[in-house]
Amino acid sequence: MKIAIADISMPKAGVLVVGVLAEKGLTPSARAADKACGGLVRRALRSGRFTGEKGQWLEILAPGKLRVARLVLAGLGKLEKLEPASFEAVGGDAVRRYATSGETDLFLAADAIPKSPVDAGEAAARLAYGARLGSYRFDKYRTKQKPDEKPSLSSVTVLAEDSVNAKKLYKPLAAIADGVFLTRDLVSEPANILYPATLADECRKLTKLGVQVEVLGVAEMTKLGMGALLGVGQGSARESKLVVMRWNGGKAGIAPVAFVGKGVCFDTGGISIKPAGGMEEMKWDMAGAGAVIGAMAALAGRKAAANVIGVVGLVENMPSGTAQRPGDVVKSMSGQTIEVLNTDAEGRLVLADAMWYTQQRFRPQFMVDLATLTGAIIISLGHEHAGLFSNNDELSERLTAAGKGEGEPLWRMPMGDAYDRSLKSPIADMQNIAGPGAGAGSITAAQFLQRFVNNVPWAHLDIAGTAWSKADKPTVPKGATAFGVRLLDRLVRDHYEGA
Ligand code: BES
Ligand code: MN
Ligand code: ZN
């Protein structure tokens, strides 16, 4: 989909979307369109229930003297409640409404709305951003599509009062959208195509954005003593990998911030095998790694003035003659030993070594890990919030604010010694699942991770409920959401750039 920003003018074909505020408040472009078609907008507003509420749409086909095929009114809601996200939603919804409509060109009018809290340039950039995000499709494996299911829309043009300014504001957003798309592509990809080695190859492609990429294989990880991560991968025919990505956009000598991702390319559960129903979903058990990779792409793509490390632990959790068994004891890079009572609690084993390595090597200011870690977080929070677990209030507040601002909300969960005690093992330093009756599966998983955190501000985001969506949202079509990419980018932008 081509997304462009141009100076405002009346389009001569295609679909033109103009905004209407609550209580039928015409924006300047709606008024101009009304005038050009001899009052059809006002007439249309007299019949039907469209009032300009947020999320309402009204389509006028063949609008009289106007040469466009369809004139569309988009409800913007109350003037005083306008925010950047309002325009993203209109852009995203518009693209999805017309994607397979038979129309090829979509025009979104972004004029200066008097007294709007969002200035015209920002509104235009956000319309473009929303359109781009909402246009995402994963169609690469469709070889046959019925004509009426085929996407027809090929170009979106945002019509701005000052296109030069709007383009300038859109540029960094386009880089973030590229990161989001990369993550959605990686998370959507099936596990016969995307496995540790091929996912590492995808990471290597970030070098063209200026990211330094290193890939460690089993030999290097064995030398480092990563018995926890390697134990998870040992049942797979695919070699485990650990990828280190570095973006040095900040001043030399400033400690980096670090993001660590769970990259289980497929999680069968291992010998503690999962039931067949729904197991295919476990291709997206690498969504934490996917988000870290996309965030690195976004940050490098917009040349963020910060030093950022991204580390992803890539494995496939398979049952086989070489697989780890329930009861096996492994030694992690930290030196701590772990009794693996359930091979399906594998993400924490991967993160234990990936996080330890990250801290030891890079001494980051803080570390955030992202992981589709527990089914239990879906019980707690459903699909609306990701779980946030942290040893640091400031980092938690910053993450929560970043998530709120980007439509990727977090909810902080408690931690504490009483939960930690449930990980006591009779024969090793800890076991990888809590003892019977402990409950709180997401919290005990976070407690496990915290045992591998070494005096550094740390937060864990359990994204098992938010990485994949079964319903379309304006800027997040169903499927892989790329949850975390916008949030991490925003965290860096708001607190760790330029200083
Ligand atoms: N990848 C799963 C968690 C998951 C479940 C993600 C559903 C997305 C949707 C994780 O590796 C896992 O299997 N966790 C177990 C832990 C249990 C064995 C303590 C779980 O949540 O059941
Ligand atoms: Mn598992
Ligand atoms: Zn898993």
Side-chain angles (χ1 to χ4, degrees):
M1 183 88 57
K2 196 176 131 275
I3 313 272
I5 298 178
D7 283 322
I8 230 162
S9 70
M10 198 51 88
K12 297 191 171 62
V15 181
L16 171 62
V17 176
V18 297
V20 176
L21 295 158
E23 291 165 49
K24 306 187 182 178
L26 298 191
T27 58
S29 58
R31 211 167 290 137
D34 183 55
K35 210 163 157 202
C37 64
L40 284 182
V41 171
R42 285 178 204 276
R43 262 183 71 191
L45 284 179
R46 282 195 291 272
S47 58
R49 287 186 164 163
F50 181 95
T51 59
E53 280 313 308
K54 212 162 115 176
Q56 287 184 332
W57 291 81
L58 183 68
E59 182 179 73
I60 306 170
L61 282 165
K65 289 196 193 94
L66 264 182
R67 290 167 65 184
V68 295
R70 315 184 195 205
L71 173 61
V72 183
L73 312 182
L76 296 174
K78 290 201 176 74
L79 176 72
E80 63 276 14
K81 288 218 173 129
L82 285 177
E83 53 181 1
S86 324
F87 295 94
E88 289 177 23
V90 169
D93 275 338
V95 164
R96 286 187 308 93
R97 285 176 79 86
Y98 292 101
T100 58
S101 62
E103 303 287 349
T104 56
D105 297 278
L106 176 66
F107 298 89
L108 307 173
D111 45 6
I113 301 173
K115 300 203 180 104
S116 170
V118 182
D119 77 51
E122 183 70 14
R126 294 287 161 170
L127 278 169
Y129 187 39
R132 175 87 200 292
L133 291 171
S135 75
Y136 180 79
R137 301 176 66 98
F138 188 74
D139 278 344
K140 68 188 278 200
Y141 296 114
R142 297 181 200 277
T143 65
K144 302 187 225 181
Q145 255 175 324
K146 295 198 194 97
D148 60 343
E149 287 173 351
K150 264 212 188 103
S152 58
L153 201 63
S154 59
S155 122
V156 178
T157 308
V158 174
L159 303 169
E161 302 248 328
D162 177 351
S163 67
V164 175
N165 177 45
K167 277 182 194 163
K168 199 176 92 209
L169 294 171
Y170 177 55
K171 202 171 167 211
L173 300 178
I176 302 165
D178 287 344
V180 166
F181 274 37
L182 173 60
T183 302
R184 289 180 184 169
D185 280 344
L186 297 176
V187 174
S188 303
E189 202 65 72
N192 60 325
I193 304 296
L194 201 80
Y195 46 89
T198 53
L199 183 47
D201 289 342
E202 294 300 318
C203 296
R204 281 200 187 93
K205 292 183 184 164
L206 298 189
T207 49
K208 66 176 186 290
L209 294 173
V211 177
Q212 296 168 26
V213 183
E214 285 166 63
V215 179
L216 282 63
V218 167
E220 290 93 336
M221 288 191 277
T222 305
K223 263 195 210 126
L224 288 162
M226 294 190 175
L229 184 154
L230 290 169
V232 176
Q234 78 185 33
S236 170
R238 315 284 202 189
E239 185 183 349
S240 301
K241 305 280 181 186
L242 185 91
V243 183
V244 180
M245 294 162 278
R246 282 189 279 176
W247 167 250
N248 292 317
K251 288 204 186 85
I254 292 187
V257 307
F259 302 136
V260 181
K262 168 180 172 181
V264 177
C265 294
F266 197 81
D267 181 11
T268 62
I271 296 298
S272 313
I273 198 161
K274 289 180 181 294
M279 199 201 275
E280 70 283 355
E281 295 200 347
M282 287 300 108
K283 74 172 184 181
W284 51 262
D285 208 19
M286 39 56 70
V292 169
I293 297 164
M296 294 306 291
L299 291 162
R302 68 171 182 79
K303 300 197 164 33
N307 297 330
V308 187
I309 304 290
V311 173
V312 292
L314 310 180
V315 301
E316 186 180 55
N317 188 20
M318 298 291 275
S320 77
T322 63
Q324 103 181 315
R325 293 144 292 251
D328 282 5
V329 175
V330 296
K331 186 166 195 165
S332 66
M333 185 184 172
S334 73
Q336 300 176 92
T337 56
I338 306 159
E339 187 185 11
V340 179
L341 290 183
N342 189 319
T343 65
D344 197 11
E346 85 297 339
R348 59 196 79 181
L349 298 168
V350 172
L351 286 171
D353 281 338
M355 295 201 314
W356 192 261
Y357 176 83
T358 302
Q359 296 166 92
Q360 293 306 102
R361 178 162 172 202
F362 297 108
R363 308 276 165 205
Q365 292 182 50
F366 69 81
M367 175 170 70
V368 178
D369 79 79
L370 291 91
T372 48
L373 203 63
T374 65
I377 200 69
I378 308 175
I379 308 292
S380 306
L381 301 176
H383 305 285
E384 305 309 320
H385 289 81
L388 162 64
F389 303 81
S390 180
N391 62 5
N392 187 282
D393 293 342
E394 183 183 60
L395 179 59
S396 292
E397 279 156 24
R398 289 177 172 188
L399 281 162
T400 302
K404 193 164 185 204
E406 298 294 316
E408 296 182 343
L410 303 177
W411 193 261
R412 190 168 180 187
M413 303 281 286
M415 297 188 71
D417 289 342
Y419 296 109
D420 185 76
R421 282 195 284 277
S422 68
L423 298 170
K424 197 168 157 54
S425 157
I427 65 161
D429 296 334
M430 70 195 86
Q431 51 191 42
N432 77 326
I433 54 168
S442 304
I443 303 176
T444 54
Q447 293 294 158
F448 181 94
L449 295 180
Q450 194 173 29
R451 289 183 177 223
F452 299 88
V453 175
N454 201 354
N455 272 325
V456 56
W458 156 78
H460 154 59
L461 309 186
D462 192 335
I463 60 170
T466 53
W468 191 268
S469 158
K470 292 193 169 139
D472 283 328
K473 294 212 183 107
T475 54
V476 188
K478 63 171 176 277
T481 62
F483 189 102
V485 174
R486 292 184 60 171
L487 187 158
L488 294 180
D489 173 79
R490 179 71 175 264
L491 176 75
V492 171
R493 179 160 20 113
D494 283 353
H495 300 286
Y496 303 97
E497 273 190 74

